[in-house]
Amino acid sequence: MIAEVPAGENESRRSPMARGNWLRAEAEAVYNLPFADLMFQAQTVHRENFNPNRLEAASLLSIKTGGCPEDCGYCSQSAHYDTGVEATRLMDPDHVISAARHAKHAGATRFCMAAAWRSPKDRELDRVCKLVSTIRNLGMETCATLGMLTAKQAARLAEAGLDFYNHNIDTSPEFYGKIITTRTLQDRIATLAHVRAAGIKVCCGGIVGMGEGVEDRLGMLLLLANLPSHPESVPINLWNKVKGVPVNDTAERLDGIALVRLVATARIMLPKSVVRLSAGRQYMTDESQALCFLAGANSIFIGDVLLTTKNRQRECDAQLLHRLGITL
Ligand code: SAM
Ligand code: DTB
Ligand code: SF4
């Protein structure tokens, strides 16, 4: 199916649908295909693996906001920058459960709890584990993103019934050091390995639109596609503008076609992963989002806010999905 693209070494030892030996030249060849060919390949792979008329809907809640010791240059919640986001304590469990019920009612099948921690303390993890068990009993998939985990912490979350753990690589290895200095890419990969070893499904992706080049976006996909196993969920976030952080508005933003090309390339390189068109949909036209769904994006966050920034209004999403004949 991707016959025009040169095959990587050792391909014969892997299933072509789940290969983990992508070469940069191959990723570039896919990304630079004539648009119609790229979309055709992405649609073909998409239809082999998913119902093209369905989207997954996930819901996000910031259960502990701001005051984060990490220096991620894009983030409103880092204590290193003056962004106007106030630090909160870990949210009261009743509030979290009520938000999860509300999200389920709005059509979300997954509930993701996010905390602005470098890594959770054991007492904090106990509280999150209780939340995981309760939300699972509501009949929702659970996801958490709490920063770096030890193997033991990952095992405890698995025992509580956590379905997914979100921990992003964020960008390419080459661009990473320009964005974050307090946590290395290797630290992140170690957390992903602990999550995997604990039997929790992996949600891992990154951000685009921070001033990186196409080569960095492809570098990010190459890292994801060449992990020991592909993440089950791959969030692609378009940087949501935040005032006061080092990443700024003068960063060259990628145009709509470049984003669609990236999504299509992600679909082809990560054929069985659910690709989430994550932050940044409020900057996109209906037409660009429709092209991203055609290119293979098959998950979104629903709800009016993400963590500290805006999402598309639920009503606009409902109308768009209706016009596209897509169901949740
Ligand atoms: N603090 C935890 C961590 O970083 O491991 C979890 C929450 S953190 C907000 C999760 C991810 O959200 C980041 O890795 C980044 O990819 C994404 N993110 C954060 N701020 C963003 C922004 N302004 N726009 C787009 N994506 C963002
Ligand atoms: C992910 O990749 N995107 C979500 C989730 N994982 C935790 C977060 C998006 C955050 C957008 C910025 C904000 O609202 O603060
Ligand atoms: Fe902290 Fe996560 Fe924001 Fe980085 S992305 S500053 S770790 S909340």
Side-chain angles (χ1 to χ4, degrees), residues 136-147:
R136 221 158 173 256
N137 287 337
L138 297 178
M140 296 185 88
E141 285 181 327
T142 51
C143 178
T145 178
L146 317 170

Side-chain angles (χ1 to χ4, degrees), residues 188-264:
R188 292 182 187 247
I189 289 169
T191 290
L192 294 172
H194 296 323
V195 168
R196 191 52 93 196
I200 300 171
K201 284 177 268 202
V202 170
C203 172
C204 181
I207 316 183
V208 297
M210 301 189 292
E212 77 289 335
V214 180
E215 64 284 3
D216 295 304
R217 291 170 209 144
L218 291 179
M220 177 173 92
L221 292 188
L222 280 163
L223 180 50
L224 293 170
N226 290 339
L227 285 171
S229 40
H230 289 178
E232 282 79 2
S233 286
V234 175
I236 297 183
N237 298 279
L238 195 56
W239 181 57
N240 260 3
K241 293 176 194 172
V242 171
K243 288 217 172 74
V245 295
V247 169
N248 62 54
D249 287 359
T250 59
E252 196 190 327
R253 297 187 73 78
L254 66 175
D255 69 76
I257 301 295
L259 181 62
V260 177
R261 280 189 175 277
L262 191 73
V263 169

Side-chain angles (χ1 to χ4, degrees), residues 10-118:
N10 304 327
E11 190 180 6
S12 58
R13 284 197 279 125
R14 290 176 182 269
S15 149
M17 296 310 287
R19 47 183 293 215
N21 55 354
W22 280 87
L23 302 175
R24 177 168 284 277
E26 296 174 287
E28 284 171 358
V30 171
Y31 181 88
N32 290 315
L33 280 168
F35 192 70
D37 294 342
L38 175 62
M39 291 299 271
F40 180 68
Q41 280 194 13
Q43 259 289 304
T44 307
V45 173
H46 192 49
R47 283 169 181 267
E48 278 167 2
N49 293 285
F50 296 100
N51 178 338
N53 303 314
R54 296 287 305 263
L55 277 191
E56 171 192 83
S59 177
L60 254 186
L61 181 69
S62 180
I63 59 168
K64 194 273 166 221
T65 307
C68 184
E70 304 289 8
D71 70 350
C72 310
Y74 49 77
C75 185
S76 63
Q77 302 194 67
S78 168
H80 294 256
Y81 319 120
D82 186 8
T83 65
V85 168
E86 266 183 48
T88 66
R89 296 161 70 92
L90 183 55
M91 196 180 266
D92 175 75
D94 290 346
H95 277 93
V96 181
I97 308 301
S98 126
R101 282 187 207 281
H102 189 261
K104 188 179 179 194
H105 185 70
T109 53
R110 187 177 309 171
F111 190 68
C112 178
M113 294 176 276
W117 290 321
R118 174 172 165 79

Side-chain angles (χ1 to χ4, degrees), residues 269-287:
M269 291 175 71
L270 298 149
K272 293 183 185 297
S273 304
V274 171
V275 174
R276 182 172 310 116
L277 195 54
S278 229
R281 285 194 304 114
Q282 82 278 18
Y283 303 125
M284 296 173 64
T285 61
D286 282 356
E287 291 79 6

Side-chain angles (χ1 to χ4, degrees), residues 60 76 145 166 168 235 237 240 278-279 301 306-309:
L60 254 186
S76 63
T145 178
N166 168 242
N168 290 341
N237 298 279
N240 260 3
S278 229
F301 281 123
L306 293 167
L307 299 175
T308 65
T309 61

